[in-house]
Amino acid sequence: MARTKSVTVQQINLTGFRSIAAYMTDMSEWLSDAGERETVFDEMRDDGRVESLVQNRKKKVLQMTGSFTETKNKTVNEACENVLTFNVFYALNNIMLNAVPYGIAACEVLWKFSQGWYVPAGFVPIPRTALSFPQHSEHGFYTPVITQQNLVLDDERKFLIHRNDDGELSQWGRPVLRSAYVFWKFKQLGVEFWAKAAQIVGVPSILALFEAKNENDAKTRAKNLTDILSEWQSGSSGAFGNVKDIKVVSSQINDFDTLIKTCNTEIAYALTGQSLATNEGQYGTRAQGDVHSEVYDETIKGDAYLLQKTDQKLVNAFVELNFPGEVAPQYDIDSTDFASWEIVRDAIDRGIPVSLKALYNKVHLPQPVDEKDSFVKAQPSFGFADTGSAGKDDFFQNRQ
């Protein structure tokens, strides 16, 4: 019991996280150049376009199912299948995929001992700003520390770290929000400019045309008329002597939609690797839409590939705690394309063996509870004599 006692004790104290200052990170130089703080990432997610794309990218991965490659130990295999369910990985991965926008995500695994098993009972997310990587740390280059508690997150049974890594071997991963920052900022400044411009051009200018004897007389009369016109309220009227005409000059601002669409398109490229599949598919050809969708699919597969390596750490911890010395099954997130129903149906019609389990899991066919609950297509009758009228048009029949 001594070897596992520590894993059932929550170690992270969340009460002080809100008061933690943003610690200097590898992003500090970029943030300084941009005149921003780390909170800019949260501000970016307040943008509806940014947030929708981030959530879309996360949800596409979260919807993928996983499976275990069985080991020789049947008991270990069954335990992993029964305990480490889709819902468990969904809860974990929903936290870990925050590494996509922020570069790195971390959590504490809350284990409990129940009915003879150590099982994951929950996951506590650790804010990015609570982490640091002390220089010359004896715990390793990639091992983060909870700065306020001086708690080293080196126990993979308790702490899981996930990075959105593009191969640069960064301690902090690669936040995709950084790539979208320029056009997000330009969009914010553009909206601010248009709001101010709308206030200015929303009130039309009034010109009074008059004649004057000389330049000094013109200046005097122009000043007097300007003072009077500036005091007018909406719906006011007045009469002026020696004024030939009064004209209302209206202004307008153009290309606001162009600015927003351009910024949204570039933001989509930064966050998803394409634009048509999530932004303006109606304006492109079907071929363009297919190409962009394929690019996005490859991005999602990359997210899933990185994620399953982190998920495997949870599997390893579960087996280590419950079956010391046993080999853990390999966990894989199935990100491969599945054949369409038309292809599956044609394969069945041609006598090609097809996995019934895969049909229920992949195509999401409703699995019968028992034999009475199953419906099968009625077999066609090739002898039309004495068939009777009953059941001739039945497409489905209940198999008894």
Side-chain angles (χ1 to χ4, degrees):
M1 184 64 69
R3 67 179 175 81
T4 54
K5 182 178 181 181
S6 62
V7 301
T8 59
V9 179
Q10 181 173 344
Q11 299 183 27
I12 292 178
N13 179 12
L14 294 176
T15 58
F17 278 168
R18 291 186 179 182
S19 62
I20 295 177
Y23 293 95
M24 298 296 284
T25 70
D26 64 330
M27 299 289 290
S28 60
E29 183 177 350
W30 173 78
L31 290 169
S32 177
D33 292 341
E36 300 283 3
R37 298 176 298 173
E38 283 198 16
T39 53
V40 70
F41 289 155
D42 293 326
E43 294 172 8
M44 290 179 69
R45 294 192 66 174
D46 288 337
D47 183 295
R49 183 61 180 162
V50 173
E51 179 65 7
S52 65
L53 292 174
V54 169
Q55 290 298 329
N56 182 271
R57 183 164 166 177
K58 286 180 60 176
K59 288 177 180 178
K60 282 185 176 296
V61 180
L62 289 173
Q63 291 171 357
M64 295 179 178
T65 58
S67 59
F68 294 97
T69 300
E70 295 184 349
T71 65
K72 296 180 180 180
N73 191 321
K74 184 178 179 181
T75 303
V76 173
N77 299 335
E78 292 178 349
C80 290
E81 288 279 358
N82 295 330
V83 176
L84 303 180
T85 62
F86 176 86
N87 289 338
V88 171
F89 284 112
Y90 187 97
L92 171 63
N93 294 340
N94 194 39
I95 298 173
M96 295 290 95
L97 283 172
N98 284 323
V100 172
Y102 298 118
I104 189 172
C107 77
E108 178 183 1
V109 184
L110 301 182
W111 296 92
K112 71 175 181 179
F113 191 73
S114 176
Q115 297 180 349
W117 297 90
Y118 287 95
V119 298
F123 306 95
V124 178
I126 305 172
R128 185 184 192 273
T129 52
L131 303 176
S132 64
F133 292 89
Q135 293 184 351
H136 312 297
S137 173
E138 62 182 11
H139 302 287
F141 182 76
Y142 288 103
T143 304
V145 174
I146 299 291
T147 312
Q148 187 184 44
Q149 298 179 238
N150 195 28
L151 177 62
V152 181
L153 309 185
D154 58 349
D155 187 351
E156 291 190 350
R157 300 174 306 175
K158 281 291 291 177
F159 307 109
L160 296 177
I161 314 298
H162 182 63
R163 293 175 175 86
N164 188 47
D165 188 4
D166 58 0
E168 293 183 354
L169 304 179
S170 169
Q171 292 173 313
W172 295 95
R174 176 72 181 180
V176 298
L177 289 180
R178 177 174 172 175
S179 301
Y181 170 79
V182 172
F183 280 93
W184 170 81
K185 189 67 175 181
F186 188 59
K187 177 181 174 182
Q188 304 308 304
L189 294 175
V191 171
E192 181 179 352
F193 165 79
W194 250 268
K196 292 181 178 178
Q199 292 178 352
I200 296 174
V201 304
V203 179
S205 300
I206 302 176
L207 297 180
L209 304 181
F210 60 90
E211 293 179 352
K213 297 177 181 180
N214 51 55
E215 183 176 352
N216 290 333
D217 182 47
K219 290 182 178 180
T220 301
R221 295 182 61 186
K223 184 179 183 306
N224 292 335
L225 288 171
T226 300
D227 292 340
I228 295 173
L229 291 174
S230 65
E231 296 176 357
W232 275 14
Q233 301 293 328
S234 176
S236 299
S237 61
F240 301 92
N242 298 322
V243 174
K244 294 178 61 176
D245 192 10
I246 293 180
K247 294 184 178 295
V248 177
V249 181
S250 298
S251 302
Q252 62 179 2
I253 51 177
N254 300 316
D255 300 327
F256 178 74
D257 288 345
T258 301
L259 169 69
I260 298 302
K261 288 180 179 179
T262 300
C263 290
N264 282 342
T265 298
E266 295 302 321
I267 288 172
Y269 274 117
L271 299 184
T272 66
Q274 51 76 60
S275 66
L276 281 179
T278 58
N279 190 34
E280 297 178 353
Q282 66 270 31
Y283 300 118
T285 64
R286 179 175 180 180
Q288 287 176 319
D290 290 344
V291 170
H292 283 229
S293 182
E294 291 175 3
V295 171
Y296 192 22
D297 287 344
E298 292 304 315
T299 301
I300 300 304
K301 290 177 182 178
D303 293 340
Y305 175 74
L306 290 175
L307 190 62
Q308 72 181 19
K309 294 193 294 184
T310 301
D311 290 344
Q312 184 64 44
K313 295 179 181 179
L314 179 67
V315 179
N316 294 344
F318 174 77
V319 173
E320 179 184 348
L321 291 172
N322 294 288
F323 306 96
E326 293 293 334
V327 177
Q330 186 67 35
Y331 182 75
D332 296 304
I333 297 177
D334 192 353
S335 59
T336 58
D337 295 330
F338 192 70
S340 66
W341 171 247
E342 289 74 16
I343 295 177
V344 173
R345 181 191 59 200
D346 290 344
I348 295 174
D349 290 343
R350 286 163 174 76
I352 300 175
V354 175
S355 169
L356 187 61
K357 181 179 179 181
L359 287 178
Y360 289 131
N361 293 338
K362 287 289 188 177
V363 186
H364 302 294
L365 291 177
Q367 187 171 2
V369 177
D370 51 34
E371 190 170 345
K372 291 184 177 181
D373 186 46
S374 65
F375 285 79
V376 295
K377 184 178 180 180
Q379 297 297 322
S381 175
F382 296 99
F384 294 99
D386 300 326
T387 58
S389 58
K392 224 196 271 190
D393 297 326
D394 289 346
F395 184 74
F396 289 98
Q397 66 178 4
N398 185 268
R399 185 168 62 189
Q400 301 295 334

